[in-house]
C-alpha cells in the first residue's frame, strides 16, 4: 500500500528482525501468487480479496490492510485507470483485457510485509504489457540501489531514470505518479522515510544496514496527474489512462538489497 509523508522516526532492524520480516514477506509472496493466478475473466475483485484473506490467515498471519484507517479489504484491487487503493467489490467483475494491480500486506509476529503486482486478465490490452514491464523494471532499478551508504535519492533517481527509458508501442513515454510512493516498513506498515519515485542521485537520507523500505513505482499510460474518488481511497488517473503498480519490501544489508517479499528463488534477483 503506497505511503504518504508520515512520522519522523527511522526504524533500524537487527538481522533477526529482518528474518522475521522475511517470514511475513513470504506470506505476501504466496498470497500474490495465488491471487494473480485467480485473476481470470468472471472473477470479482471481492473473490480475490476473500482468497487473499484466507491465504494470509492460513499462514498464521493477519492482513495488514483490513481495517487500516477503515479500509474494507485485505488487498487493494485497482483495475485499468485505478492507480492504487482500489476497494475490492463483488460488483467489479474482471473482463478480458483488464489490467489489474493487486497490493497486499500481511503481519506475522508483529512484522509487516507489503508488495504489489500488476497482471493482465486474459489477452493483454494493447500497450499494457509495455506499461507493466516498464513499471516492474523501474522497481528493480530502484531496488538495486538499496545498499548501505547510498542515499534515498539514489533509489528515487534510479526508478525515475528507468521509467523514462521505456516507451509505449506508439513511442510515447509513461507518466510517473508523484503524489504516492514507497515508505519505510517494519512494526508498522507505513513508517519514515517517504520514498518518492522521482529524485536526484546523492540527495536525501543516507541508507544504513537494517533499514527496510517498500519500493513501489506507479506508472500511467498517459498524464501522471491523479484524483481520489469519493470513496476516499481509490486513486485514478485524471485523464482515464491505464496504470500499473509494482512493489517489493527490501532490506538494506551489508551484502546488498534483500527482497523480503520475493518468492524464495527470486529473492536476490
Amino acid at each position: 500500500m503506497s505511503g504518504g509523508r508520515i512520522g519522523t522516526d527511522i526504524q533500524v532492524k537487527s538481522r533477526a528482525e529482518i528474518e522475521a520480516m522475511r517470514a511475513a514477506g513470504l506470506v505476501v509472496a504466496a498470497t500474490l501468487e495465488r491471487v494473480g493466478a485467480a485473476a481470470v475473466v468472471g472473477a470479482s475483485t471481492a473473490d480475490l480479496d476473500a482468497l487473499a484473506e484466507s491465504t494470509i490467515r492460513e499462514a498464521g498471519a493477519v492482513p495488514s490492510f483490513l481495517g487500516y484507517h477503515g479500509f474494507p479489504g485485505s488487498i487493494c484491487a485497482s483495475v485499468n485507470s485505478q492507480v492504487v487503493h482500489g476497494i475490492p467489490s463483488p460488483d467489479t467483475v474482471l473482463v478480458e483485457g483488464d489490467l489489474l494491480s493487486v497490493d497486499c500486506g500481511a503481519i506475522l509476529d508483529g512484522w509487516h510485509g507489503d508488495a504489489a503486482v500488476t497482471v493482465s486478465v486474459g489477452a493483454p490490452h494493447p500497450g499494457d504489457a509495455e506499461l507493466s514491464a516498464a513499471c516492474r523494471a523501474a522497481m528493480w532499478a530502484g531496488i538495486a540501489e538499496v545498499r548501505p551508504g547510498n542515499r534515498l535519492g539514489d533509489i528515487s533517481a534510479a526508478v525515475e531514470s528507468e521509467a523514462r527509458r521505456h516507451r509505449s508501442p506508439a513511442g510515447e513515454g509513461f507518466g510517473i505518479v508523484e503524489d504516492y510512493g514507497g515508505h519505510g516498513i517494519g512494526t508498522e506498515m507505513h513508517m519514515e522515510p517517504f520514498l518518492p519515485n522521482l529524485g536526484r542521485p546523492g540527495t536525501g537520507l543516507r541508507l544504513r544496514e537494517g533499514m527496510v523500505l517498500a519500493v513501489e513505482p506507479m506508472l500511467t499510460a498517459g498524464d501522471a496527474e491523479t484524483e481520489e474518488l469519493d470513496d476516499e481511497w481509490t486513486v485514478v488517473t485524471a485523464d482515464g489512462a491505464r496504470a500499473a503498480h509494482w512493489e517489493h519490501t527490501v532490506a538494506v544489508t551489508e551484502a546488498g538489497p534483500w527482497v523480503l517479499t520475493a518468492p524464495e528463488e527470486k529473492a536476490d534477483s
Side-chain angles (χ1 to χ4, degrees):
M1 181 176 279
S2 62
R5 300 174 187 275
I6 34 81
T8 56
D9 295 327
I10 306 295
Q11 188 179 67
V12 177
K13 289 82 169 171
S14 66
R15 179 70 184 192
E17 289 170 336
I18 292 175
E19 289 173 353
M21 290 191 70
R22 173 61 171 154
L26 285 172
V27 174
V28 173
T31 303
L32 286 173
E33 184 175 7
R34 289 189 67 184
V35 171
V40 297
V41 173
S44 74
T45 55
D47 295 335
L48 301 181
D49 185 67
L51 175 62
E53 181 174 3
S54 64
T55 303
I56 291 168
R57 294 194 187 279
E58 285 167 8
V62 176
S64 300
F65 297 179
L66 187 59
Y68 181 78
H69 294 295
F71 189 78
S74 295
I75 57 171
C76 298
S78 306
V79 182
N80 297 333
S81 63
Q82 297 176 351
V83 183
V84 286
H85 305 163
I87 298 175
S89 169
D91 298 327
T92 304
V93 178
L94 300 176
V95 300
E96 185 84 9
D98 275 345
L99 186 65
L100 171 69
S101 295
V102 180
D103 195 351
C104 177
I107 312 167
L108 184 64
D109 297 328
W111 295 98
H112 288 255
D114 187 9
V117 299
T118 295
V119 298
S120 290
V121 179
H125 184 275
D128 282 354
E130 291 81 1
L131 172 63
S132 182
C135 190
R136 186 176 185 273
M139 174 191 68
W140 283 111
I143 287 171
E145 299 300 322
V146 181
R147 300 176 180 276
N150 276 2
R151 293 188 178 271
L152 211 62
D154 296 326
I155 304 172
S156 302
V159 168
E160 179 182 359
S161 176
E162 182 65 19
R164 296 201 188 284
R165 193 177 67 81
H166 290 258
R167 291 290 182 268
S168 73
E172 298 174 344
F174 298 112
I176 305 173
V177 175
E178 187 172 2
D179 293 338
Y180 302 88
H183 50 89
I185 184 170
T187 51
E188 299 176 28
M189 180 164 54
H190 290 137
M191 309 183 77
E192 283 290 336
F194 175 72
L195 176 57
N197 287 313
L198 299 97
R200 292 185 297 113
T203 63
L205 177 76
R206 189 174 296 281
L207 305 181
R208 56 178 289 195
E209 188 173 1
M211 291 179 179
V212 182
L213 301 169
V215 179
E216 56 174 323
M218 290 143 267
L219 302 186
T220 76
D223 190 82
E225 185 179 351
T226 62
E227 299 173 349
E228 187 178 86
L229 298 185
D230 290 342
D231 63 20
E232 298 183 343
W233 279 106
T234 309
V235 177
V236 300
T237 57
D239 62 2
R242 292 157 87 92
H245 176 206
W246 283 85
E247 175 186 18
H248 270 311
T249 297
V250 188
V252 182
T253 78
E254 184 179 4
W258 185 8
V259 185
L260 304 180
T261 45
E264 198 73 53
E265 69 276 10
K266 297 179 181 177
D268 299 316
S269 297

